[in-house]
Amino acid sequence: MTIKTIGVVGAGTMGAGIAQVAAVAGYDVIMRDITEEFVNRGKTVIRKNLDRSVKKEKMTREQADAVLARIKGTTALEDLAPCDFVIEAVIEKMDLKKDVYRQLDQICKPEAYFASNTSGLSVTEMAAVTTRPNKFIGMHFFNPVPVMKLVELIRAAETDDDTVEVTKELVQKMGKEYIMVNEAPLFAVNRILVPMLNEAMFVLMEGVATAEDIDKGMQLGANHPIGPLALSDLIGLDTLLMVCETLYMETGDSKYRPCPLLRKLVRAGHLGRKTGRGFYNYS
C-alpha cells in the first residue's frame, strides 16, 4: 500500500514536530488533539518553525505555505478514518494510549499501519488491544523533531516484516535515519541515556561535585553538547522521573532506582525549564 495520508494523534511538542516533518516530506497530514486550543497551538508552533526556515532561506514562502496547506487539524478521532499510517504522540500513560488504539482500531481501515512515538513504554502491550498487532510498530522520534535526525524503530512481539519495511521507507522520506531495536524497557537510546542522567543526580546529591562542574565535566571531558543536569531540566524532571520509574519497575533492577533528589524536586514542583527552576534557576 502506498502511504499518502498520515494521521498524528497529539498536537503537542512531539506531535506537531512529527506532523511538520511528514508534511514537509509531501504527505497529507491529519493532526488531532482533544481541544481546538491544543490543535491551534500545534499549528502555531509549525508555522513559526516554517517561518524560521524561510528566513534562513532553507525553503521559499510558497513551499512553507504548501506545507501548512497539507496539515489539517481536528478534534475528532473519526477524522483519521482515511489515514494509511497513524502515529500516536499522546502523553506517556499506558491506559490512555491503549484507549486511543482501541478507538483507532474501529475507525481506521484494516490495512492502515499504527505507530507509537512512546519513549519507553511497551509497544507489544499497546498492539495487543488492536486487531492488527502485526501492523503495529514503535516509532520513537527525538525532540526537537524537525532538527533531530534519529528515529528508533521498535519491533514489538508481532510486528511483521512488511510493517518494518514500510516504516523504514517513511522515515527515510522524512529525511531521518533509523536504528532497529527489539522491544525492551526504554529501547536503546534512553536505556543508556536515562541511567547516566540519574547517576549525575546521585553525584550531585552525594556532594561529589556542583551541578555546574558535573555538567562542565561531561561537556569538556566526554564531548557532550549539553551537561546531564541541564539536559534533565530541558527534558522535564517529572517526565524523567516517570521514565526512570518505568525502567526500574520493568527490570526490577536496583541499579535503575530513581535518585531521591529527582523525586524531591518533582514533589516541590521544580520541573526544570518549563517551571523556571530545576537543577538550575531560569527565572
Side-chain angles (χ1 to χ4, degrees):
M1 180 175 72
T2 307
I3 308 295
K4 288 180 181 167
T5 306
I6 294 176
V8 178
V9 186
T13 306
M14 297 305 287
I18 294 165
Q20 180 184 322
V21 297
V24 168
Y27 296 102
D28 290 323
V29 179
I30 302 169
M31 181 175 71
R32 184 262 183 183
D33 213 317
I34 50 175
T35 67
E36 282 291 347
E37 185 196 347
F38 292 161
V39 172
N40 291 335
R41 199 182 297 165
K43 281 187 158 181
T44 301
V45 168
I46 295 168
R47 194 174 293 112
K48 280 181 181 169
N49 287 344
L50 294 172
D51 286 346
R52 207 173 295 127
S53 292
V54 171
K55 211 171 181 180
K56 289 180 178 174
E57 297 184 347
K58 288 182 178 176
M59 60 168 65
T60 64
R61 170 49 59 196
E62 291 72 30
Q63 285 170 323
D65 290 345
V67 169
L68 280 171
R70 284 196 284 273
I71 303 170
K72 178 191 167 199
T74 183
T75 55
L77 207 56
E78 292 75 22
D79 287 349
L80 272 68
C83 294
D84 306 308
F85 199 108
V86 179
I87 305 168
E88 162 271 314
V90 304
I91 54 175
E92 292 284 79
K93 291 195 173 155
M94 181 59 85
D95 289 345
L96 177 64
K97 287 180 185 285
K98 288 193 329 197
D99 187 46
V100 166
Y101 283 118
R102 282 188 194 99
Q103 294 178 65
L104 284 172
D105 199 41
Q106 301 291 312
I107 293 163
C108 297
K109 52 195 173 191
E111 62 270 28
Y113 300 90
F114 289 169
S116 177
N117 177 55
T118 180
S119 58
L121 297 177
S122 171
V123 182
T124 298
E125 191 176 333
M126 294 175 218
V129 303
T130 73
T131 56
R132 63 189 90 194
N134 59 312
K135 288 184 167 288
F136 207 112
I137 194 166
M139 200 177 184
H140 178 214
F141 289 82
F142 289 78
N143 188 24
V145 178
V147 177
M148 299 294 273
K149 291 292 285 183
L150 184 69
V151 182
E152 264 184 316
L153 298 185
I154 299 95
R155 191 189 271 272
E158 296 190 48
T159 310
D160 63 23
D161 292 342
D162 166 65
T163 303
V164 171
E165 291 310 313
V166 165
T167 312
K168 280 180 179 177
E169 196 179 317
L170 186 60
V171 168
Q172 287 169 328
K173 281 190 180 167
M174 287 178 176
K176 306 292 183 193
E177 295 197 29
Y178 62 82
I179 59 169
M180 282 306 307
V181 180
N182 290 317
E183 185 178 286
L186 299 199
F187 318 138
V189 176
N190 281 342
R191 171 75 175 273
I192 297 163
L193 176 67
V194 169
M196 186 198 76
L197 303 181
N198 197 43
E199 195 60 33
M201 295 169 203
F202 274 109
V203 171
L204 177 66
M205 186 181 78
E206 291 164 16
V208 177
T210 63
E212 290 81 3
D213 280 355
I214 290 165
D215 280 357
K216 185 178 176 182
M218 293 307 289
Q219 283 177 278
L220 302 183
N223 208 19
H224 289 195
I226 182 172
L229 300 174
L231 179 57
S232 299
D233 278 350
L234 188 62
I235 292 166
L237 302 189
D238 52 340
T239 304
L240 204 49
L241 178 59
M242 197 160 62
V243 173
C244 282
E245 284 175 331
T246 299
L247 184 57
Y248 183 42
M249 194 175 66
E250 286 276 341
T251 60
D253 193 329
S254 63
K255 74 178 178 185
Y256 295 128
R257 80 188 198 284
C259 179
L261 178 58
L262 173 61
R263 206 179 288 283
K264 190 167 156 184
L265 286 169
V266 171
R267 283 174 176 162
H270 303 319
L271 310 180
R273 280 181 184 255
K274 60 185 167 187
T275 58
R277 188 172 158 196
F279 290 106
Y280 296 98
N281 199 326
Y282 301 93
S283 54

